[in-house]
């Protein structure tokens, strides 16, 4: 990005913050409904609110099947989406614009081809989905219940936006873009070992702290781990400390230190 373009973007962002601030009452209600968003550090808290404001200005919300996306809904989604990029920057979400909100989960028709070339069709219920280049699809019912489901480490917004971050290098492989090869190799080594051990536990019927769905693919392991990292961090730090360390260093945040056990 050239200097003049960066200056123009800063001017536009400041104008947005001045002209289209999130109302105090709405922001307070959002924090009350989703306690994991209430950051104790005042600088972090202000940055999250600013990022959410800019996120809402840059993205386009669409309600599916006549659903009206209200300000309350948009702010709830935006704030949870911006939590992961609190110290990374909003440019990490530049590769997409659209967010489609459904009232509840949807059923997607899937097609797979087995090793013998036989095509199989099946229905898959979805509470969210992120596609390369967008849009991001979310179930409002799941978003709305995020304050309650945080206790067991579930958050559909964090999950889908973790996929967005993962795909920023053009691959959905559980490894987000990293600043250098050494960090990439370290991540790949640690992450692969953790994923293989977790998948073995799931295959053996062992009860796991992470949702067994995380064994579907490395990308899902990353997304599920991100959910727990932000909304139930003590559980992840206790059961998967190395994964927690990777995410702490990548996101430049330590949720376990700011959230009460």
């Amino acid at each position: 990005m050239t200097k003049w373009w960066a200056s123009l973007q800063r001017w536009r962002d400041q104008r947005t913050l001045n002209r289209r601030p999130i109302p105090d009452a709405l922001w307070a209600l959002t924090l009350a409904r989703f306690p994991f968003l209430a950051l104790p550090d005042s600088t972090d808290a202000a940055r999250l609110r600013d990022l959410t404001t800019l996120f809402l200005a840059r993205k386009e919300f669409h309600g599916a099947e006549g659903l009206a996306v209200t300000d309350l809904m948009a702010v709830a989604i935006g704030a949870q989406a911006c939590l992961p990029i609190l110290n990374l920057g909003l440019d990490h979400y530049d590769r997409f614009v659209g967010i489609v909100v459904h009232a509840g989960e949807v059923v997607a028709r899937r097609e797979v081809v087995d090793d013998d070339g036989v095509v199989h069709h099946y229905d898959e219920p979805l509470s969210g989905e992120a596609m390369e280049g967008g849009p991001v699809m979310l179930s409002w019912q799941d978003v709305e219940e995020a304050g309650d489901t945080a206790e067991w480490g579930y958050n559909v917004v964090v999950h889908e936006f973790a996929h967005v971050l993962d795909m920023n290098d053009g691959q959905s492989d559980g490894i987000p873009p990293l600043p250098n090869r050494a960090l990439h190799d370290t991540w790949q080594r640690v992450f692969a070992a953790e994923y293989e051990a977790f998948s073995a536990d799931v295959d053996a019927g062992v009860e796991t702290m992470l949702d067994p769905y995380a064994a579907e693919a490395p990308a899902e392991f990353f997304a599920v781990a991100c959910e727990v990292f932000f909304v139930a961090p003590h559980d992840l730090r206790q059961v998967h400390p190395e994964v927690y360390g990777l995410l702490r260093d990548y996101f430049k945040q330590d949720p376990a230190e700011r959230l009460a056990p």
Side-chain angles (χ1 to χ4, degrees):
M1 182 181 294
T2 61
K3 288 184 178 180
W4 75 265
W5 179 256
S7 297
L8 177 60
Q9 187 62 63
R10 284 194 296 270
W11 176 81
R12 287 175 172 170
D13 287 347
Q14 191 57 55
R15 184 176 63 172
T16 297
L17 295 173
N18 293 337
R19 293 184 175 183
R20 302 170 62 182
I22 298 171
D24 291 343
L26 178 53
W27 185 248
L29 177 60
T30 302
L31 299 184
R33 297 175 69 206
F34 311 108
F36 53 87
L37 295 175
L39 307 181
D41 182 88
S42 59
T43 301
D44 288 344
R47 186 185 307 118
L48 179 62
R49 185 172 180 174
D50 285 351
L51 283 171
T52 304
T53 302
L54 299 175
F55 178 92
L56 297 177
R58 295 183 189 182
K59 305 307 176 188
E60 297 177 359
F61 287 80
H62 304 276
E65 299 179 351
L67 179 68
V69 180
T70 64
D71 289 347
L72 181 146
M73 296 165 68
V75 172
I77 292 169
Q80 292 178 67
C82 288
L83 181 61
I85 50 97
L86 179 70
N87 294 321
L88 298 180
L90 197 54
D91 59 324
H92 283 66
Y93 293 158
D94 280 352
R95 292 166 64 92
F96 82 101
V97 174
I99 299 171
V100 179
V101 186
H102 289 260
E105 74 173 21
V106 300
V107 177
R109 188 67 170 164
R110 301 301 198 195
E111 178 182 295
V112 295
V113 181
D114 63 23
D115 294 338
D116 296 322
V118 179
V119 178
H120 301 271
H121 296 90
Y122 65 96
D123 292 332
E124 181 182 10
L126 298 173
S127 58
E129 186 172 38
M131 288 162 276
E132 175 69 29
V136 174
M137 185 277 286
L138 298 167
S139 156
W140 171 245
Q141 180 180 353
D142 289 79
V143 176
E144 187 176 30
E145 295 174 352
D148 297 324
T149 59
E151 184 177 355
W152 42 283
Y154 175 66
N155 187 287
V156 67
V157 179
V158 172
H159 184 105
E160 299 308 331
F161 280 85
H163 282 313
V164 172
L165 295 172
D166 183 13
M167 292 187 288
N168 273 342
D169 59 0
Q171 301 182 72
S172 181
D173 57 2
I175 306 177
L178 298 167
N180 58 64
R181 186 67 192 180
L183 286 175
H184 183 280
D185 290 346
T186 299
W187 183 294
Q188 188 171 41
R189 172 177 52 79
V190 174
F191 186 85
E194 289 281 338
Y195 172 68
E196 290 172 7
F198 176 80
S199 298
D201 284 346
V202 171
D203 290 342
V206 176
E207 185 175 351
T208 59
M209 182 274 296
L210 294 177
D211 188 325
Y213 180 69
E216 288 290 315
E220 298 301 342
F221 185 72
F222 171 68
V224 171
C226 287
E227 294 179 68
V228 184
F229 178 77
F230 283 106
V231 303
H234 300 278
D235 293 340
L236 186 67
R237 188 171 66 175
Q238 179 179 359
V239 180
H240 296 282
E242 289 195 280
V243 173
Y244 186 92
L246 289 178
L247 298 181
R248 180 195 59 216
D249 294 345
Y250 169 64
F251 288 111
K252 303 176 185 177
Q253 299 185 53
D254 197 346
E257 292 302 312
R258 70 181 181 227
L259 291 178

